Amino acid sequence: MLSTYQYQKFEYHPPRELGADKAVRHPVVIVGAGPVGLAAAIDLAQQNVPVLLLDDDDTVSVGSRGVCYAKRALEVLDRLGVADPCVDKGVSWNVGRTFFRSEEVYSFNLLPQPDHHRPGMINLQQYYLEEFLVKRARSLPSLDLRFRNKVVSMRAQDDAVALQVETPDGVYPVEADWLIVADGARSPIRRMMGLEAEGKVFMDRFLIADVVMKADFPAERWFWFDPPFHPGQSVLLHHQADNVWRIDFQLGWDADPEEEKRPEKVIPRIKAMLGEEHEFELEWVSVYTFQCRRMAKFRHGRVLFVGDAAHQVSPFGARGANSGIQDTDNLAWKLRLVMDGKAPDSLLDTYSDERTCAADENLLNSTRSTDFITPKTKTSLAFRNAVLGLARHYPFARALVNSGRLSVPTILADSVLNTPDEAAFAGDMAPGAPCDDSPMRAQVDHFWLLGRLGNRFQLLVYADKPGDVTQADALQALMSGSLPVDVILVTPSGGRSPHGFRVFEDYTGRFAERYDARPGSAWLIRPDQHIAARWRALDVRRVRQALARATCNQE
């Protein structure tokens, strides 16, 4: 039990399928109600896709586990209806500091620009995130969430996936049109299918100590290499909700995990770090190792893997849960279009293609971070220490310091769903990139751009005035097509559209700055807020072609 959090047991209800002669068929079954499985279920249910979510437990995760949630993940959680409670409860931060021995050598700011809705990162214990997600899931009529329902066997078929589910009252059969697997790094479903995740196991151990204390440290990420209070090793400090501080101590591979978790071993380490003047209580202690690996493909017929079931990374850089949430963001809209008959089955192959690309980027960064933090040879240790020694005075060395390259969204630059640029643009908002945020208003209503994007295809058109838009009839036809596109005019001065389009006023100029907007420019936005195409001159025929490409509907 934790002193700062009261665990609740979620109620088990006997499934109606118990004792049935025939398996009930569900459009989508998701296995695993951690943050990633819950995010997938909520995303689909919000789009009116019936979802059955199964979990073998009856409570949220034990201990803080996942801690850091990045700006992009928060933007996804916004669309799922849980970002506000997460940000309100969590500790927001943008600044990280790196120390070598007793001196600060490097710092960074995740959000140096103003006018973003969400911070660069929040720290929040995983059990709170799961609690907020469960509450949201239970509010959706299309989502059937069942605790203490364990999948004990599965059989993938051409047109369905057959499952056997064990409960306290017996076993019952289930069939799924589509199965989403979010059952964690040790994925029982993956083992049942005889599939592997390949990669590297890192021969090191780290101690997590969650400590309750009142301290005047700022809400920043602090990382020490070879500090005097833990010589020869590394230490990481994060501030979480409820005055809980997360401390990670590198121990080395030879450390005995059970011995290191004993309070008489943990408390002296913390006192050496904090000093005798800080009073604290141990909240939770764990020792972990980690792997960097992934499955070769995330799609296997009607079975789709997400989160840790598909890929695992080191905890340095906060790339685990953040990338898993982005998996679901990529998958949900594609699965819905395929289920609705508005896109071919091949669109789901692009889920695997895009997210294995993202996983490779995360694995590369995670491996490099781990190699820098835990050098395995005298030569690599000497190199690392030389870099840290130079970083205090020389910018070139700071670029080499790697205490965990923090989670950022993958730019899907090579996706087959993108339409390549035909004209020059400045800035980062290229095809494949997630949309940047900016303040907007419509009449007296102030809002954030990303709060009005997502869950459907949208076309942003920039104009000096709402009446300057050409091809209005063709744009209205685009809005009422078989795959509708929501048309939004963005202008620097607001006003009303004579053609009935929504108008967003870029009253701060941030949109024009970040998107390199000029009158006549247009951007086709995917349902997951990634840019599919952009043009300097609006041509609805080309928009239709880009929409077909973004949904694999090209002839």
Side-chain angles (χ1 to χ4, degrees):
M1 298 297 293
L2 305 182
S3 64
T4 60
Y5 184 79
Q6 184 68 44
Y7 281 89
Q8 59 173 310
K9 293 285 188 180
F10 299 124
E11 190 173 356
Y12 159 77
H13 298 283
R16 62 182 181 275
E17 292 93 340
L18 283 168
D21 295 332
K22 185 179 179 182
V24 175
R25 183 135 174 181
H26 297 264
V28 178
V29 175
I30 300 176
V31 180
V36 176
L38 283 160
I42 292 167
D43 200 341
L44 288 165
Q46 286 185 159
Q47 300 177 67
N48 299 315
V49 176
V51 177
L52 173 62
L53 176 55
L54 306 173
D55 194 83
D56 60 2
D57 203 355
D58 61 358
T59 190
V60 294
S61 64
V62 176
S64 61
R65 300 184 68 180
V67 169
C68 301
Y69 300 97
K71 178 175 176 287
R72 181 60 198 150
L74 294 173
E75 291 163 354
V76 177
L77 294 174
D78 257 322
R79 294 195 293 110
L80 302 184
V82 296
D84 280 345
C86 289
V87 174
D88 291 345
K89 184 65 179 178
V91 175
S92 298
W93 64 275
N94 293 309
V95 174
R97 301 188 185 279
T98 299
F99 302 85
F100 181 41
R101 297 177 179 142
S102 58
E103 295 186 336
E104 181 178 339
V105 296
Y106 175 70
S107 66
F108 60 82
N109 189 338
L110 294 173
L111 205 64
Q113 292 182 319
D115 294 329
H116 288 270
H117 184 203
R118 294 306 182 191
M121 196 80 70
I122 68 165
N123 291 344
L124 181 70
Q125 297 91 312
Q126 184 171 318
Y127 43 76
Y128 278 119
L129 174 60
E130 291 185 18
E131 177 187 316
F132 300 147
L133 287 167
V134 167
K135 182 178 179 180
R136 174 62 178 151
R138 286 177 155 176
S139 73
L140 297 169
S142 297
L143 204 167
D144 183 358
L145 173 54
R146 301 181 187 180
F147 293 102
R148 300 182 70 186
N149 278 244
K150 179 180 180 180
V151 175
V152 292
S153 72
M154 64 86 64
R155 186 177 73 259
Q157 303 166 336
D158 290 339
D159 64 342
V161 182
L163 307 171
Q164 291 288 319
V165 184
E166 183 180 73
T167 75
D169 294 312
V171 177
Y172 66 95
V174 168
E175 284 191 347
D177 291 340
W178 300 94
L179 177 68
I180 298 176
V181 182
D183 57 353
R186 296 183 177 89
S187 180
I189 300 290
R190 193 178 65 226
R191 290 201 305 270
M192 291 175 195
M193 295 182 68
L195 300 172
E196 298 292 338
E198 298 181 354
K200 180 179 179 181
V201 177
F202 286 88
M203 307 292 282
D204 211 331
R205 301 188 195 278
F206 289 80
L207 170 76
I208 296 175
D210 277 358
V211 173
V212 182
M213 65 176 177
K214 292 184 178 179
D216 56 1
F217 304 128
E220 299 174 347
R221 178 190 193 260
W222 286 5
F223 195 103
W224 288 266
F225 291 97
D226 193 16
F229 55 83
H230 194 52
Q233 307 282 24
S234 62
V235 179
L236 175 64
L237 176 69
H238 274 294
H239 186 192
Q240 303 177 94
D242 303 327
N243 287 319
V244 176
W245 296 77
R246 166 80 167 265
I247 308 173
D248 289 53
F249 291 96
Q250 183 186 0
L251 298 176
W253 182 247
D254 295 333
D256 182 332
E258 295 306 315
E259 177 71 14
E260 293 295 341
K261 287 191 290 186
R262 294 170 55 215
E264 51 266 40
K265 292 281 287 187
V266 177
I267 290 173
R269 293 190 190 280
I270 298 172
K271 285 186 174 181
M273 175 184 179
L274 300 176
E276 295 291 337
E277 68 274 15
H278 285 284
E279 295 184 3
F280 62 87
E281 297 178 4
L282 280 181
E283 178 83 340
W284 179 68
V285 176
S286 181
V287 172
Y288 66 88
T289 58
F290 52 84
Q291 305 177 47
C292 287
R293 59 179 190 157
R294 73 163 173 88
M295 299 176 67
K297 297 188 301 180
F298 296 172
R299 181 194 180 188
H300 292 265
R302 291 181 171 266
V303 183
L304 302 140
F305 289 82
V306 294
D308 285 352
H311 49 79
Q312 298 98 51
V313 294
S314 83
F316 303 111
R319 293 174 179 268
N322 285 288
S323 61
I325 289 169
Q326 290 171 73
D327 288 347
T328 68
D329 189 45
N330 188 290
L331 173 60
W333 69 272
K334 296 175 179 178
L335 182 57
R336 177 179 58 82
L337 288 182
V338 171
M339 294 176 69
D340 289 347
K342 294 182 178 180
D345 178 87
S346 58
L347 182 62
L348 290 174
D349 292 332
T350 71
Y351 159 69
S352 181
D353 294 341
E354 290 184 345
R355 292 311 297 168
T356 54
C357 175
D360 285 342
E361 181 178 295
N362 286 325
L363 289 167
L364 177 63
N365 280 283
S366 187
T367 300
R368 287 175 174 172
S369 297
T370 304
D371 288 342
F372 192 86
I373 292 167
T374 63
K376 297 301 186 292
T377 68
K378 290 182 179 180
T379 300
S380 57
L381 176 62
F383 170 79
R384 189 201 70 180
N385 288 350
V387 167
L388 291 167
L390 291 167
R392 186 181 180 195
H393 303 287
Y394 301 102
F396 84 89
R398 291 170 202 153
L400 301 174
V401 174
N402 195 339
S403 63
R405 297 281 190 253
L406 290 167
S407 176
V408 293
T410 299
I411 308 300
L412 305 171
D414 297 325
S415 173
V416 298
L417 304 185
N418 297 341
T419 294
D421 285 336
E422 296 179 353
F425 281 81
D428 298 328
M429 295 295 97
C435 290
D436 216 341
D437 212 354
S438 64
M440 292 286 181
R441 69 184 173 199
Q443 306 303 319
V444 297
D445 182 19
H446 288 69
F447 53 90
W448 293 93
L449 175 63
L450 290 185
R452 304 293 173 92
L453 298 184
N455 300 326
R456 59 203 181 281
F457 278 94
Q458 293 165 299
L459 183 70
L460 303 182
V461 180
Y462 191 81
D464 278 333
K465 299 176 183 178
D468 291 348
V469 175
T470 60
Q471 304 180 69
D473 291 344
L475 286 175
Q476 288 171 337
L478 191 66
M479 295 177 67
S480 58
S482 59
L483 184 56
V485 176
D486 185 17
V487 177
I488 299 170
L489 307 185
V490 181
T491 73
S493 56
R496 294 183 181 275
S497 167
H499 309 291
F501 303 124
R502 286 192 292 164
V503 178
F504 292 175
E505 181 185 351
D506 178 28
Y507 67 98
T508 65
R510 291 295 184 192
F511 177 87
E513 172 192 336
R514 291 170 181 167
Y515 288 71
D516 187 23
R518 302 175 193 170
S521 299
W523 299 260
L524 180 64
I525 312 301
R526 297 179 358 174
D528 58 1
Q529 299 176 333
H530 281 252
I531 295 171
R534 60 182 178 174
W535 304 271
R536 279 299 184 200
L538 176 64
D539 182 334
V540 175
R541 178 182 59 84
R542 291 184 177 180
V543 174
R544 291 186 185 278
Q545 291 172 346
L547 179 64
R549 181 167 183 156
T551 55
C552 292
N553 276 310
Q554 292 173 292
E555 295 181 358

